[in-house]
Amino acid sequence: MELTANWSYPTAIRFGAGRIKELAEACNATGMKRPLLVTDRGLANLPITQNALDLLESSGLGRALFAEVDPNPNEQNLAAGIAAFKAGNHDGVIAFGGGSGLDLGKLVAFMAGQTRPVWDFEDIDDWWTRANASAIAPIIAVPTTAGTGSEVGRAGVLTNSETHVKKIIFHPKVLPSIVICDPELTVGMPPVITVGTGMDAFAHCLEAFSSPFYHPMSQGIALEGMRLVKENLPRVVADGNDLEARAHMMSAAAMGATAFQKGLGAIHALSHPIGAIYNTHHGMTNAVVMPPVLEFNRSEIEERIEAAAAYLGITGGFNGFYDYVLKLRADLGVPDKLGKLGVGTDRIDELAEMAIKDPSAGGNPKELTLEAAKSLFKASI
Ligand SMILES: NC(=O)c1ccc[n+]([C@@H]2O[C@H](COP(=O)([O-])OP(=O)(O)OC[C@H]3O[C@@H](n4cnc5c(N)ncnc54)[C@H](O)[C@@H]3O)[C@@H](O)[C@H]2O)c1
Ligand SMILES: [Fe+2]
């Protein structure tokens, strides 16, 4: 089967190998004439990024790059990006990269025309209505990892560099107008990023599937997303050039982020403070805390995890699913403890306070109390 398609759910997605060639045409479709390509430092000089800039330049769209973006990007990266957007008189953003480049690019397009500080648009109640929606520049998203699904999301994660807290900045118009999902762009990911981002996609599907809210559409997407990861993450780790498996992982990533409108849970609530304080990779952190969280939630999710296990071809119900997660982690070389990612036991109280306040905590099937968060950190570190 040829893995190429045009989808309009949840936004316009041009899916297929080689489709980065359509970048200039996508700019025309959104009316962008002076796009700013935003990515992170690591990607700036790689051939995939330079090729995208070549495509823009040869179509008369300029060659503007902003790449002062850290992993777990912060408000200083955002301020610099907005300054570059204004200085170049740009009229749209190509958000290019993993979650870091995508999120920061989306937020530059959002914030360049606003007068209020970015923290006023945290994903709380209807705070997004404070924004001047007509001042949001168009966004084209081009993912280069297969994990966060930020390319189909209406939010960007921004770390406050003073408080080290990760905030979700939300506006419906932050959903990119066009996404180019070209699995060839993910072929050069370092193996550890392939694993980490793939486990992030799995965590999105698992947490969306487990969260207690009524959202059958998400439920179905999350289940099939888990299956795609199960079938294809080991394949891309074994052979990074397996384009078919890379394509399925790219779909799974977009599906995870589409599904987690239903809610995330304690995996992300624990992982966000760890990432903000220790700068660990987000997806890898999720993978480490996943089994203790599964065990913690067991009483609330046993039945639905049994159903998922049956669909995924895993025998043994909840226990079989739990063992599958342990084996997947081990096979992929994910550490079993956060200590191996450089996390110490000295800040557990602070981490637990942050975890219970994290917006993802509310989607957990079982209440994440302070005591529970502390013991989950103890078990994970
Ligand atoms: N918006 C959302 O819904 C959402 C969801 C989950 C996570 N996030 C955020 O996304 C970020 C993590 O994103 P990520 O896991 O994609 O990692 P990342 O964007 O931080 O990238 C990790 C590293 O991989 C490199 N890289 C990316 N693609 C590459 C490629 N094709 N070839 C070679 N190198 C490549 C980057 O340069 C970087 O050094 C975190 O900040 C997290 O908070 C956002
Ligand atoms: Fe995530």
Side-chain angles (χ1 to χ4, degrees):
M1 185 183 15
E2 202 193 340
L3 303 180
T4 302
N6 297 328
W7 295 324
S8 59
Y9 177 71
T11 184
I13 304 177
R14 301 172 180 220
F15 191 99
R19 295 192 72 178
I20 189 64
K21 283 194 214 78
E22 298 173 29
L23 184 58
E25 198 220 304
C27 290
N28 294 339
T30 58
M32 266 185 227
K33 293 195 167 57
R34 298 174 61 86
L36 176 65
L37 191 146
V38 176
T39 193
D40 74 294
R41 285 193 185 87
L43 275 159
N45 293 313
L46 294 187
I48 50 172
T49 314
Q50 292 302 319
N51 175 52
L53 291 166
D54 291 345
L55 289 167
L56 294 174
E57 192 173 23
S58 63
S59 302
L61 293 163
R63 192 188 183 86
L65 172 69
F66 174 77
E68 247 91 301
V69 179
D70 296 304
N72 301 315
N74 58 44
E75 80 286 356
Q76 294 168 6
N77 300 146
L78 177 61
I82 291 170
F85 186 89
K86 288 182 176 166
N89 197 19
H90 295 291
D91 59 2
V93 168
I94 297 168
F96 189 95
S100 300
L102 291 171
D103 279 3
L104 209 274
K106 286 159 62 183
L107 293 180
V108 167
F110 176 23
M111 291 303 299
Q114 305 301 320
T115 50
R116 299 177 73 132
V118 66
W119 310 118
D120 282 4
F121 304 114
E122 194 185 340
D123 189 9
I124 295 176
D125 302 330
D126 62 353
W127 283 18
W128 63 270
T129 57
R130 298 165 165 179
N132 176 1
S134 63
I136 301 175
I139 302 164
I140 294 171
V142 183
T144 66
T145 65
T148 70
S150 174
E151 63 275 14
V152 295
R154 300 174 299 165
V157 182
L158 196 66
T159 301
N160 184 317
S161 63
E162 280 166 30
T163 60
H164 294 282
V165 175
K166 276 193 165 189
K167 297 281 188 192
I168 296 173
I169 308 300
F170 173 88
H171 194 286
K173 274 188 77 182
V174 165
L175 179 69
S177 316
I178 298 180
V179 183
I180 298 181
C181 279
D182 181 344
E184 281 178 4
L185 302 183
T186 66
V187 162
M189 263 193 280
V192 64
I193 301 294
T194 295
V195 170
T197 52
M199 289 305 287
D200 191 25
F202 190 77
H204 294 157
C205 293
L206 174 60
E207 293 214 285
F209 185 80
S210 302
S211 94
F213 308 116
Y214 180 69
H215 200 325
M217 286 187 245
S218 286
Q219 205 68 1
I221 292 169
L223 186 57
E224 176 64 1
M226 281 194 272
R227 190 189 68 80
L228 286 174
V229 175
K230 177 171 181 279
E231 301 297 318
N232 296 286
L233 185 52
R235 277 176 64 184
V236 293
V237 171
D239 174 8
N241 291 307
D242 183 337
L243 257 188
E244 186 187 291
R246 289 283 191 194
H248 289 313
M249 283 306 300
M250 200 156 227
S251 292
M255 291 163 77
T258 306
F260 76 53
Q261 278 193 24
K262 177 169 178 266
L264 285 170
I267 295 174
H268 275 78
L270 300 178
S271 165
H272 285 149
I274 296 276
I277 290 184
Y278 294 95
N279 228 356
T280 55
H281 183 262
H282 169 74
M284 203 54 110
T285 314
N286 291 341
V288 180
V289 303
M290 193 176 285
V293 170
L294 263 177
E295 189 61 59
F296 171 68
N297 286 333
R298 179 174 187 142
S299 59
E300 307 302 313
I301 59 173
E302 192 152 4
E303 230 172 275
R304 68 176 71 186
I305 292 293
E306 275 170 16
Y311 179 71
L312 297 173
I314 297 168
T315 53
F318 183 94
N319 289 334
F321 186 88
Y322 183 86
D323 292 343
Y324 159 74
V325 170
L326 286 185
K327 181 165 183 320
L328 176 69
R329 271 195 347 179
D331 290 349
L332 299 176
V334 174
D336 57 347
K337 295 285 182 220
L338 291 173
K340 295 181 183 161
L341 298 177
V343 178
T345 51
D346 50 324
R347 294 175 81 169
I348 286 183
D349 289 352
E350 183 188 351
L351 289 167
E353 292 280 358
M354 289 165 83
I356 60 168
K357 285 189 212 125
D358 189 272
S360 307
N364 200 62
K366 192 168 168 177
E367 193 194 348
L368 185 67
T369 61
L370 190 61
E371 281 317 305
K374 281 184 197 169
S375 51
L376 283 168
F377 278 122
K378 278 190 198 123
S380 308
I381 295 173

